[in-house]
Amino acid sequence: MNRASLFWIAAAIVLALLPPVASALAQPFYIDLVRRVMILAIAATSLNLILGYGGMVSFGHAAYLGIGAYAVGILAFYGVTNGWAQWAVAIGASALVAAAIGAISLRTSGLYFIMITLAFTQMLYYLGLSLDAFGGDDGMRLKARSRFPALDLADPVQSYYVALVLMLLAVFLVHRIVNSRFGMALRAAKSNDARTRALGISPYPYRLVAFVIAGALCGLAGALYANHANYIAPSYMSWIQSGDLMFMVILGGMASRAGPVLGAFALLLVEEVLKGWTEHWQAILGPLLVLSVIFFRRGLAGIFYKPDA
Amino acid sequence: MPVALIFEQLLNGLQYGVMLFLMAAGLTLVLGIMNMVNLAHGSLYMLGAYFAVAATQWTGSYAAGVLAGFAGALLVGMLVEVIALRALYERDHLDQVLATFGLILFFNELVSMVWGRGSLYASIPKWLQGHVQLFGGSTYPVYRLAVLAVGLAVALVLWYVVQRTRVGMLVRAGASNRAMVAALGVNIRLLYTFVFGFGAALAGLAGLMAGPIYAVQPGMGDLILIQVLVVIVIGGIGSIRGALVGAVIVGVVDTLGRAFLKPLLATMISAPAAEAAGPALASMLIYLLMAAVLALKPAGLFQGR
């Protein structure tokens, strides 16, 4: 067995053991915290597909987190609580919006791409702010959580395991994608656009499909997040959230399987520790992030193994 | 719709446009010459406003406030450049975006630690208070006209410096080929720090002038920063002319959209629908504009780099 699969088995066991241990120690707070981390790890994993493997620096990935969450919230508002239907809409709507945004944005590259993805997400953010029927800038409580047979997402432990399973599946899915023929083409286009074209592969459709897959996966994370928080708010789509997702990927290590998950845990746990110390935790987190960008170039995953691509 | 009202909003749009230009000029120079994205430019705007308010309250003199806002932003800008940003010039845009994003978190929190989370009141000196008569009996604040005048004056000075002086020549040369300029014996490091400090001071100037018009509060630089990025992208990265044109377009479109989109929509669709859609569409307008520009001209109106 190689080191990577050992790592994942160990991680899955530790995470699976957390709820009983936390319950036994009467610390349910940690179940909530780690569940949130795992959901955002799914979002970061989806971003890694385009940012790490595809070289597309999207500064607006939080858009799909918001779309997924709003899909669940709005459907629940109108009485549709069937989980399958809600999550399908969350994923489908995110994919559609990603297709539209990607189709335009991918015509540009470099800095322009960063800015235009940011701009589109700002548009959706302001749209969320103005949706007074759904809480406007305050956001809105879910009327009910997504309903699945034999599953109660209002139960913290059950929803914890749902998040855990989906996170592992997301990591596996992205791993399979980047090692397929499709993923090879995507990574080739990242490392050398001209040579990829010379091989007879036009990068644009590959990039666009990857962009849509990443959006759809992040939409799933959004649906989970709405259920986790029992709340939807425009702040899910804020540029700060987009920046946080990017940080998770970079901190963990771009284009590595474990990177986004490690990054999500590192960033959010450090945040939590700092919040425990002082209300001005961002004054410490900011410089830490700057230092990590300047000095910690390969990310956390680079400690364990060499990132591919 | 009364013509005077449209004219007044047009002036507001121009005034906002020159403010955006003051921000965009520094940012686009840094981008064009150093190929560096500095999101913390919005923080320098915020610091300019805070320094000015603090100095004015402390000394009671508006001139002291202006000086503090201008010089303070300049100093902080140069300090940040030397401490943090120099290490990032050779990195890709992603690292630059992330590191300067970290700086934003730091400065926003720092300001709220020193001055609190609430908004501060920025006063206007007596000689800039009051209104002038526009045609049709409407009035317009003197202060906003002064902002407009200062912005235009700075644009002129900037044009002169960049096009007609030796430093400006080096700046333009640095923008087209850094390595060559360095090989010709120019201290490009020093030039970088100079340009960066100059851009920071302009951001501080924009911030201290914005103080009395908008709220002076932590995070006040974030929204304008994103709009300035829109300006730069529309105008073409690295082009000062593009920054001016982009700033005026964005300023006017944003202001007119906020003022007139709702009544305009109400004439086409039902009033409640317009009530809901108007503000949303107004805040999305400049982003739509940017998407349209990029879809047609992927490198901006003035073909930046």
Side-chain angles (χ1 to χ4, degrees), chain A residues 28-250:
Chain A
F29 164 76
Y30 289 101
I31 300 178
D32 263 36
L33 173 64
V34 176
R35 186 177 58 198
R36 176 162 162 265
V37 174
M38 291 191 302
I39 294 169
L40 290 174
I42 298 175
T45 301
S46 73
L47 178 60
N48 190 31
L49 174 64
I50 51 173
L51 177 60
Y53 293 104
M56 293 168 258
V57 184
S58 167
F59 199 174
H61 208 58
Y64 314 105
L65 198 66
I67 293 169
Y70 270 82
V72 168
I74 291 174
L75 283 175
F77 183 81
Y78 288 113
V80 181
T81 54
N82 182 305
W84 300 113
Q86 281 187 346
W87 290 22
V89 170
I91 293 171
S94 303
L96 271 180
V97 173
I101 293 180
I104 298 174
S105 307
L106 286 169
R107 285 171 42 87
T108 66
S109 62
L111 200 50
Y112 290 97
F113 183 80
I114 302 180
M115 296 311 161
I116 196 169
T117 46
L118 172 66
F120 275 119
T121 302
Q122 283 296 108
M123 273 164 56
L124 290 168
Y125 173 71
Y126 286 116
L127 183 66
L129 281 185
S130 66
L131 287 176
D132 286 332
F134 309 113
D137 49 356
D138 292 332
M140 171 179 83
R141 258 181 90 85
L142 288 194
K143 277 260 160 67
R145 285 196 166 82
S146 304
R147 235 171 244 140
F148 287 97
L151 201 63
D152 180 13
L153 287 182
D155 179 75
V157 176
Q158 286 188 35
S159 69
Y160 176 95
Y161 284 114
V162 170
L164 173 58
V165 168
L166 287 177
M167 181 187 80
L168 293 173
L169 282 177
V171 171
F172 181 68
L173 176 74
V174 169
H175 175 66
R176 288 303 296 262
I177 290 174
V178 297
N179 287 301
S180 67
R181 187 194 167 276
F182 169 82
M184 294 291 182
L186 183 69
R187 284 151 67 187
K190 178 200 174 189
S191 58
N192 194 328
D193 193 275
R195 200 172 288 176
T196 312
R197 285 174 201 277
L199 287 171
I201 295 171
S202 170
Y204 182 85
Y206 287 88
R207 291 196 175 123
L208 184 57
V209 170
F211 199 87
V212 171
I213 295 173
L217 191 55
C218 193
L220 174 68
L224 272 170
Y225 203 83
N227 277 290
H228 156 78
N230 200 19
Y231 205 80
I232 57 172
S235 64
Y236 296 175
M237 293 181 273
S238 74
W239 73 302
I240 303 284
Q241 182 67 60
S242 295
D244 274 354
L245 290 178
M246 273 164 71
F247 258 115
M248 290 172 194
V249 176
I250 308 304

Side-chain angles (χ1 to χ4, degrees), chain A residues 107 112 126 130 250 280 293-294, chain B residues 91 98 109 223 237 280 295 299:
Chain A
R107 285 171 42 87
Y112 290 97
Y126 286 116
S130 66
I250 308 304
H280 299 295
V293 171
I294 294 178
Chain B
R91 302 291 189 81
L98 289 172
E109 201 58 45
L223 178 69
I237 290 167

